[in-house]
Amino acid sequence: MKSYAWLKAIFECSDTAIARHQIILDENGNPIDYLFLEVNPAFERMTGLKRDNILNKSALTVVPVLRNEDFNWVSFFGQVALEGNTRRSFERYSLLFKKWYRIEVISDEKFYFTTIFYDIGNEKKLVELKQKTQNKYQKIFEMSNDGLFIHNEKGQIFDVNPKATKLTGYSKKQLLKMNIKELSLEKGKSLTKNTIEKIEEIGQAVIESQIIDKTGKLIQVSINASYLDKENEIIMGFVRDISEIKKKELDLKNIIEGTHAGTWQWNIQENLQIVNDHWAQMLGYTVEELSPLTTEKWQSLMHPEDLKKLEGYLDQHFEGKIEQFECECRFKHKNNNWVWVLSRGRVLEWSRTGEPLVMFGTLLDITRLKKTENELIKLTEFQRILMNMASKYINLPYPDVDQAKQNSLQEIGEFVKADRAYIFKYDWHNRVAQNTYEWCMDGIEPQKENLQAIPFDKMPKCINPHKEGRIAYIEDVSLLDINDPDRKILEPQSIKSVLTIPIMNGPYCEGFVGFDSVREKKGYTNQEKTLLKFFSQILLNIDTRAKLENNLIKEREKALAASQAKSDFLANMSHEIRTPLNGVIGFSSVLLDTDLTEAQKEYTDIIMSSGRTLLDIINDILDLSKIEAGKMELNPEKTDIFKLMKNATTIVNLKADERNNKLIYTIDDDVPRFIKIDSVRLKQILVNLLSNAAKFTKNGEVELKCKTLSRDDQNKTCSLEFSVRDTGIGIKEINKKKILEPFSQEDYTITKRYGGTGLGLAIIKSLLTKMQSHLKVESEYGKGSTFSFTLDVHYWDEQPKELKILNEIPKRKTKQKNRLKKILIVEDNDINMKVTEQLVTMITDKAKILKAEDGKQALELYKKWAPDIILLDIRLPDISGYEVTKRIREDNQEVPIVALTAMVVKNEKEKCLSIGMNHYLSKPLELKKVRETLQAYL
């Protein structure tokens, strides 16, 4: 405290203007201003700025005129402050104060600096006058802030300035009678032969020494001596009191000592370094053991990689590219370990030719910091590996799980530098553990086959902690008791230390993942253990997901099998039911074409109607089955929407007439005629909605309407709304959702009164879902209903023209007259054979009918008679209709082959056409369709 008070008194009483500042930086680290932290009274007197008005304020605020000067004060001060531990001086004329100043800028701490202002106005004037007249030289000499001594090489003093008298305490008269050697602590030391030689060599000699003032007090000084008149051996010496500076240097030394920093001074020309005790102690030596510390010796202590790096920094510093060097490097400790240090340094003295002479720097031990840094880097990499691993397993297919776990063991084992990594599963019922996965480093013997069904009592140091969810770690197996069961199982595997992490599924331990160290013992940090626990949870999640996925696969296979069985059943049932229906509907069609009494005609109509109703039910059930099994696909094609709506109303017209309903359809003017849609399914939806409306309406009105909701002419897309409105019985509010479910109608009275299966709306709902739409229902009970849906479609702008219909029957060929046509019917069912034969007979009486009961007989009759057309059933007892077609097409591509089948399954028609058949008729056969087919091909 006394020392501080003494320094404070000097600061306050000094005649030299002194100010303490802090530099202000912008966001990019560039100096933009500086603060006044402290000023002394001399500063106030010199500048006129009052302490109370400027402290903690910025310079550009206090002295804005600085902005107008051609010298950038802020930039210059900023360079000094950012360098730290540096000192600069310059002379400047102040526009503000209209004076010349010498300004010394000292930075003893980065970002802070001290300015010392010397008013050199008079000196400048003296210099100016000296240039005009030699008489004014004496005034400049006398005004110097350094003590000036003019003497010869023997030390005889010829002249001194007032500062010299003040510095020594002697008067000028006394000093002129003295020899310069009398002021030296060691007589003559300040003017040695070496000093004279240095002055002669480089023009000056700069030394630090001590002088004795008149009172006997020692004063630390800096002496800068040079020849004033070499011919007469006259020397002028500038002597400056550096006691305060030396005190600060001592304080700095104490600070360095307190931080345990090593310091070094490198005399480059003499190839020698001087280091302090801390420098030597960092490497486990004493200063005496290292002395003499030549460049070659300290280079031999440095890691070769780091030596090359350091030399690069030194070259940059020597070339002036960097103001000081800073390098992290490794030195070899006396015990052969590597010590990480941070070395900083800079050149303090340069030769006239720009060669470095002396360097000074510090050394800090950063071994612990580097270890922490490396551990952090390692842990970060460990986290990255685990996160990548977890991400990879999210969508990993079940068959790849085993290999993925094996790869993960290797990746983690290599990262933590284990020799062996493995996964054990616990069987708590039988109290045994089993090695399920294992990875070994090259050269390490695998143990998996030897570690199956290990009893729990042979590994208690794992089992007991794992039951409680704790990690088990044996740091040194050799320290276990000789009879310890864990030692007995670990030592034969050459394990020196082992870490095992439980795999916890809630409170239940399913097993563990382990890491063996075989070549040498290994320790694990707490962070590593935590991350390895995370790895164990990843393994648990893999197993859990694999089990779930395996169960899902099995359930899916069961569901697919059940769905296939259902589809096969429905297809077979459809075929079996359609076969007798072919007889019912076919012969009813035949009967209606004969002369019948009114009663007979009525009965036959009833039979025909019942058969058609049963056929509709079968078709609905089959459609619903296809949709639920995901086997129904849409086939969008260019469709004339006007023609489609007309056809739909035509189909329902008869039913509407029977109920005395008026059936109309309306199309708005802006509806495009041609759109891309599955015409078959859209027509099915419209016909079902119209049929329902007609069925539940009597003496009323049914309207089919289409309008445009929006239209994009650039992309040729539009949104169309289709609606079917009726004035029928309506729907109760509570039943609006119910009617959309399969096999559901509003209530049982509806079924009794109107019939039906309740599948129609459910099928419509499913078809619209596939078309990315949905059915909306608006109804008022007793007044009618409106069913509507919206479709987003592409459209064409063009005039209507004849559209090509898929599998369209070709135009009727010109008949060859006076030739009996040969028609081959292939059918294994007697009733179906009679139906087909009767229908053909009703259509033409000029035909020879050939009949075959199986595929083999069909091929024989084909070869013998060369029929004009073949009506071929698909399902035959020996050779299928497909195979018969293939064999015929090998011989004849012209004869028409028409498929007859009761199988109405997905792609059946396409399959028939793809193998060479010309047309496709589904059973039950109808007279009209058979007539159209024969007329087209005969």
Side-chain angles (χ1 to χ4, degrees):
M1 292 300 290
K2 287 182 179 180
S3 176
Y4 175 80
W6 178 68
L7 289 173
K8 182 69 174 175
I10 293 175
F11 178 80
E12 293 292 329
C13 297
S14 175
D15 291 328
T16 304
I18 305 173
R20 178 73 170 167
H21 306 281
Q22 178 182 352
I23 199 69
I24 299 174
L25 307 177
D26 63 12
E27 59 184 6
N28 296 318
N30 297 317
I32 58 172
D33 205 342
Y34 58 92
L35 292 175
F36 286 94
L37 300 181
E38 185 58 87
V39 298
N40 67 350
F43 183 91
E44 292 182 288
R45 292 192 299 272
M46 183 192 74
T47 64
L49 299 174
K50 297 302 179 183
R51 178 186 300 183
D52 294 340
N53 295 334
I54 65 173
L55 290 188
N56 297 317
K57 294 183 180 179
S58 74
L60 295 181
T61 301
V62 174
V63 192
V65 73
L66 292 177
R67 301 178 189 273
N68 303 324
E69 293 201 5
D70 58 355
F71 180 75
N72 193 331
W73 297 82
V74 173
S75 177
F76 182 85
F77 291 156
Q79 290 178 11
V80 175
L82 291 177
E83 288 177 8
N85 296 320
T86 188
R87 179 174 183 162
R88 300 274 183 89
S89 66
F90 65 103
E91 295 179 355
R92 188 71 188 167
Y93 182 76
S94 171
L95 293 174
L96 177 64
F97 304 112
K98 299 191 173 16
K99 289 183 180 180
W100 274 93
Y101 293 102
R102 180 185 298 113
I103 303 154
E104 290 194 20
V105 188
I106 303 169
S107 175
D108 57 344
E109 180 180 359
K110 192 172 183 180
F111 305 120
Y112 294 86
F113 62 96
T114 300
T115 55
I116 304 173
F117 287 77
Y118 299 96
D119 186 345
I120 60 171
N122 292 333
E123 288 182 20
K124 287 293 182 181
K125 290 178 181 178
L126 289 174
V127 170
E128 186 177 341
L129 291 172
K130 183 179 179 181
Q131 292 174 351
K132 298 178 180 178
T133 175
Q134 188 65 32
N135 293 334
K136 295 182 180 180
Y137 163 75
Q138 189 62 32
K139 292 183 180 179
I140 298 172
F141 179 76
E142 291 176 356
M143 295 295 293
S144 173
N145 287 312
D146 293 328
L148 295 181
F149 295 81
I150 298 176
H151 55 86
N152 61 17
E153 289 185 354
K154 295 180 180 180
Q156 182 181 355
I157 299 174
F158 298 132
D159 199 1
V160 295
N161 68 348
K163 189 71 174 182
T165 62
K166 184 178 180 180
L167 180 66
T168 61
Y170 293 102
S171 67
K172 183 175 183 178
K173 186 176 181 180
Q174 290 174 318
L175 287 172
L176 293 178
K177 295 179 180 180
M178 296 173 62
N179 190 295
I180 195 74
K181 300 175 183 179
E182 296 178 49
L183 298 174
S184 177
L185 180 62
E186 298 181 32
K187 305 300 183 183
K189 181 125 184 202
S190 62
L191 285 173
T192 63
K193 183 180 178 181
N194 290 338
T195 303
I196 299 299
E197 288 176 352
K198 185 173 285 189
I199 293 174
E200 290 177 345
E201 179 185 354
I202 62 175
Q204 66 178 12
V206 179
I207 62 172
E208 289 184 4
S209 183
Q210 289 179 318
I211 64 173
I212 306 172
D213 70 3
K214 188 176 181 179
T215 64
K217 176 183 174 183
L218 289 176
I219 303 172
Q220 196 77 24
V221 294
S222 170
I223 301 173
N224 188 335
S226 61
Y227 279 115
L228 184 63
D229 184 350
K230 187 173 183 180
E231 184 178 349
N232 295 308
E233 298 180 342
I234 304 300
I235 296 171
M236 181 168 66
F238 292 77
V239 181
R240 177 172 297 178
D241 186 347
I242 60 171
S243 300
E244 189 63 29
I245 295 174
K246 283 298 180 180
K247 180 180 181 302
K248 290 182 178 180
E249 288 181 356
L250 181 60
D251 291 341
L252 178 60
K253 181 180 179 182
N254 292 333
I255 291 172
I256 292 174
E257 292 294 324
T259 58
H260 299 285
T263 62
W264 52 269
Q265 183 174 317
W266 180 20
N267 189 317
I268 300 172
Q269 303 301 316
E270 295 179 6
N271 189 26
L272 195 65
Q273 274 200 27
I274 300 172
V275 298
N276 67 353
D277 290 337
H278 288 307
W279 198 103
Q281 289 167 8
M282 284 183 202
L283 307 186
Y285 297 96
T286 64
V287 172
E288 290 73 21
E289 287 177 310
L290 292 173
S291 297
L293 185 54
T294 62
T295 302
E296 291 74 22
K297 181 181 286 188
W298 69 257
Q299 286 181 342
S300 69
L301 293 173
M302 185 177 285
H303 195 286
E305 294 177 4
D306 300 336
L307 177 59
K308 186 176 181 180
K309 180 171 61 174
L310 177 64
E311 288 173 344
Y313 284 124
L314 287 173
D315 288 342
Q316 291 184 61
H317 180 50
F318 293 160
E319 293 169 7
K321 295 179 180 178
I322 54 176
E323 292 195 13
Q324 70 175 27
F325 83 86
E326 182 174 306
C327 180
E328 292 182 356
C329 48
R330 287 160 288 182
F331 279 94
K332 182 170 285 188
H333 195 274
K334 191 175 183 179
N335 61 13
N336 286 327
N337 290 330
W338 290 106
V339 178
W340 274 100
V341 299
L342 174 62
S343 181
R344 293 190 180 102
R346 64 182 303 170
V347 175
L348 292 180
E349 188 177 342
W350 301 84
S351 71
R352 284 188 173 184
T353 58
E355 295 296 322
L357 299 177
V358 179
M359 288 193 73
F360 175 82
T362 60
L363 211 66
L364 287 175
D365 188 341
I366 59 170
T367 305
R368 184 177 298 178
L369 180 64
K370 291 296 289 185
K371 181 180 179 182
T372 303
E373 180 183 321
N374 291 335
E375 287 178 355
L376 181 60
I377 293 172
K378 181 179 178 181
L379 290 174
T380 302
E381 177 64 13
F382 200 174
Q383 289 174 335
R384 186 193 64 78
I385 290 173
L386 292 174
M387 294 306 296
N388 289 345
M389 194 179 292
S391 300
K392 181 175 65 177
Y393 288 148
I394 290 175
N395 298 312
L396 188 70
Y398 174 71
D400 298 339
V401 168
D402 281 345
Q403 186 59 49
K405 290 172 75 172
Q406 189 66 39
N407 293 343
S408 297
L409 269 184
Q410 178 176 349
E411 189 172 11
I412 298 298
E414 289 177 343
F415 186 83
V416 300
K417 293 182 172 52
D419 295 311
R420 190 185 294 122
Y422 42 82
I423 300 173
F424 269 71
K425 299 296 288 184
Y426 281 146
D427 180 349
W428 292 96
H429 177 72
N430 296 311
R431 296 187 62 75
V432 294
Q434 182 166 317
N435 191 339
T436 55
Y437 297 88
E438 182 185 61
W439 163 83
C440 296
M441 186 71 77
D442 291 343
I444 302 300
E445 185 177 353
Q447 297 292 328
K448 180 180 176 183
E449 300 304 320
N450 304 327
L451 299 173
Q452 303 297 316
I454 306 299
F456 282 1
D457 56 7
K458 289 190 176 182
M459 45 193 303
K461 283 185 170 54
C462 285
I463 300 297
N464 295 332
H466 290 174
K467 282 193 298 186
E468 300 174 1
R470 293 184 290 109
I471 293 174
Y473 175 48
I474 301 176
E475 187 174 3
D476 190 340
V477 173
S478 65
L479 297 180
L480 297 177
D481 187 272
I482 193 67
N483 295 318
D484 190 295
D486 286 279
R487 179 169 180 171
K488 289 182 178 180
I489 198 171
L490 295 174
E491 272 193 339
Q493 302 176 59
S494 303
I495 297 173
K496 290 182 170 60
S497 63
V498 59
L499 176 75
T500 59
I501 315 290
I503 300 175
M504 301 301 296
N505 189 356
Y508 178 75
C509 181
E510 295 195 351
F512 65 89
V513 55
F515 301 91
D516 292 346
S517 298
V518 175
R519 288 170 293 192
E520 59 182 23
K521 298 189 291 294
K522 174 176 171 51
Y524 293 86
T525 65
N526 290 333
Q527 292 89 340
E528 286 179 316
K529 292 177 183 178
T530 299
L531 291 174
L532 288 173
K533 287 181 72 174
F534 181 63
F535 174 58
S536 75
Q537 288 304 114
I538 291 177
L539 295 175
L540 173 67
N541 294 338
I542 298 171
D543 284 341
T544 303
R545 194 176 69 80
K547 290 175 184 176
L548 290 174
E549 187 172 338
N550 189 33
N551 292 336
L552 286 174
I553 291 172
K554 290 180 180 178
E555 292 300 321
R556 182 172 179 272
E557 290 173 349
K558 290 180 182 179
L560 289 174
S563 176
Q564 186 61 45
K566 175 183 174 183
S567 297
D568 293 343
F569 171 76
L570 288 173
N572 289 330
M573 288 302 297
S574 171
H575 180 273
E576 296 305 320
I577 295 173
R578 283 173 180 273
T579 297
L581 273 179
N582 190 40
V584 173
I585 295 175
F587 278 118
S588 295
S589 177
V590 171
L591 281 174
L592 288 172
D593 203 45
T594 62
D595 294 329
L596 299 174
T597 64
E598 287 298 322
Q600 288 171 334
K601 187 175 184 305
E602 180 183 357
Y603 299 154
T604 306
D605 279 337
I606 293 172
I607 294 171
M608 176 70 82
S609 178
S610 298
R612 290 185 182 281
T613 300
L614 182 57
L615 185 60
D616 288 342
I617 293 172
I618 293 169
N619 287 337
D620 282 348
I621 292 174
L622 196 59
D623 276 350
L624 187 64
S625 173
K626 290 178 184 177
I627 293 170
E628 289 179 346
K631 295 183 177 181
M632 178 172 284
E633 295 180 359
L634 299 177
N635 298 297
E637 59 184 352
K638 190 174 183 181
T639 302
D640 186 339
I641 192 64
F642 291 15
K643 185 182 289 187
L644 185 144
M645 291 179 64
K646 183 178 180 180
N647 290 343
T649 53
T650 300
I651 292 171
V652 184
N653 196 46
L654 180 61
K655 182 178 288 187
D657 287 344
E658 291 174 354
R659 302 285 292 172
N660 197 27
N661 291 319
K662 181 182 178 182
L663 180 59
I664 58 177
Y665 71 93
T666 305
I667 303 176
D668 284 1
D669 293 339
D670 59 350
V671 173
R673 181 156 189 171
F674 296 101
I675 65 173
K676 188 174 184 180
I677 198 72
D678 188 323
S679 58
V680 174
R681 295 306 174 189
L682 178 57
K683 184 176 179 181
Q684 180 181 0
I685 292 170
L686 296 178
V687 169
N688 271 345
L689 290 175
L690 288 168
S691 297
N692 274 354
K695 181 167 66 172
F696 294 113
T697 304
K698 188 173 183 180
N699 301 321
E701 182 177 275
V702 176
E703 179 189 20
L704 170 61
K705 184 175 182 179
C706 179
K707 67 178 181 179
T708 302
L709 297 180
S710 63
R711 184 165 173 160
D712 183 350
D713 293 330
Q714 182 176 356
N715 295 311
K716 300 298 181 186
T717 60
C718 63
S719 181
L720 301 179
E721 182 186 72
F722 295 86
S723 62
V724 175
R725 177 187 59 81
D726 65 63
T727 58
I729 62 174
I731 306 167
K732 294 178 181 178
E733 188 66 33
I734 61 174
N735 292 322
K736 285 184 179 179
K737 291 185 178 180
K738 180 180 177 184
I739 62 172
L740 298 177
E741 299 302 322
F743 303 103
S744 296
Q745 289 190 336
E746 192 169 0
D747 56 48
Y748 76 94
T749 60
I750 297 296
T751 305
K752 290 177 67 68
R753 189 185 308 171
Y754 297 100
T757 60
L759 291 175
L761 290 179
I763 292 172
I764 291 171
K765 176 185 174 184
S766 298
L767 288 174
L768 287 175
T769 299
K770 291 186 74 66
M771 294 180 176
Q772 298 183 343
S773 183
H774 64 280
L775 188 64
K776 291 189 282 189
V777 182
E778 297 177 6
S779 182
E780 186 175 351
Y781 188 63
K783 293 187 178 182
S785 306
T786 299
F787 291 82
S788 64
F789 58 91
T790 301
L791 295 176
D792 295 325
V793 295
H794 287 274
Y795 70 86
W796 285 266
D797 280 331
E798 61 181 67
Q799 295 298 319
K801 57 185 178 180
E802 191 69 27
L803 294 176
K804 182 180 179 181
I805 302 173
L806 186 64
N807 302 325
E808 182 180 28
I809 297 175
K811 293 182 179 180
R812 186 173 182 177
K813 298 178 181 179
T814 302
K815 292 187 177 182
Q816 299 178 7
K817 297 182 179 180
N818 303 320
R819 188 171 81 81
L820 193 65
K821 301 296 181 180
K822 299 186 287 291
I823 300 174
L824 174 58
I825 302 174
V826 186
E827 178 63 73
D828 66 323
N829 183 279
D830 290 340
I831 295 176
N832 287 344
M833 176 65 84
K834 290 178 182 179
V835 171
T836 307
E837 182 181 5
Q838 186 62 40
L839 291 175
V840 171
T841 302
M842 291 176 67
I843 294 167
T844 176
D845 55 356
K846 295 180 180 180
K848 177 178 177 60
I849 297 177
L850 307 170
K851 297 187 287 185
E853 297 180 355
D854 54 40
K856 182 178 179 181
Q857 190 178 4
L859 291 172
E860 291 173 353
L861 291 175
Y862 160 74
K863 291 178 181 179
K864 181 177 180 180
W865 294 99
D868 295 287
I869 189 170
I870 301 172
L871 305 179
L872 178 62
D873 186 27
I874 299 300
R875 297 184 68 172
L876 295 172
D878 53 353
I879 303 174
S880 72
Y882 302 127
E883 185 62 29
V884 171
T885 300
K886 289 178 182 178
R887 295 187 186 183
I888 291 174
R889 287 298 180 227
E890 291 174 357
D891 176 67
N892 189 328
Q893 295 291 326
E894 300 297 329
V895 59
I897 302 175
V898 179
L900 306 178
T901 180
M903 290 288 290
V904 186
V905 295
K906 179 183 178 183
N907 298 329
E908 183 69 20
K909 181 188 293 187
E910 289 76 6
K911 184 176 181 181
C912 292
L913 297 174
S914 67
I915 64 171
M917 297 183 181
N918 300 85
H919 196 55
Y920 176 97
L921 290 174
S922 61
K923 300 175 183 178
L925 299 177
E926 295 186 28
L927 180 61
K928 179 182 176 182
K929 292 184 178 180
V930 176
R931 179 181 285 115
E932 290 175 350
T933 302
L934 292 180
Q935 287 175 350
Y937 289 104
L938 292 178

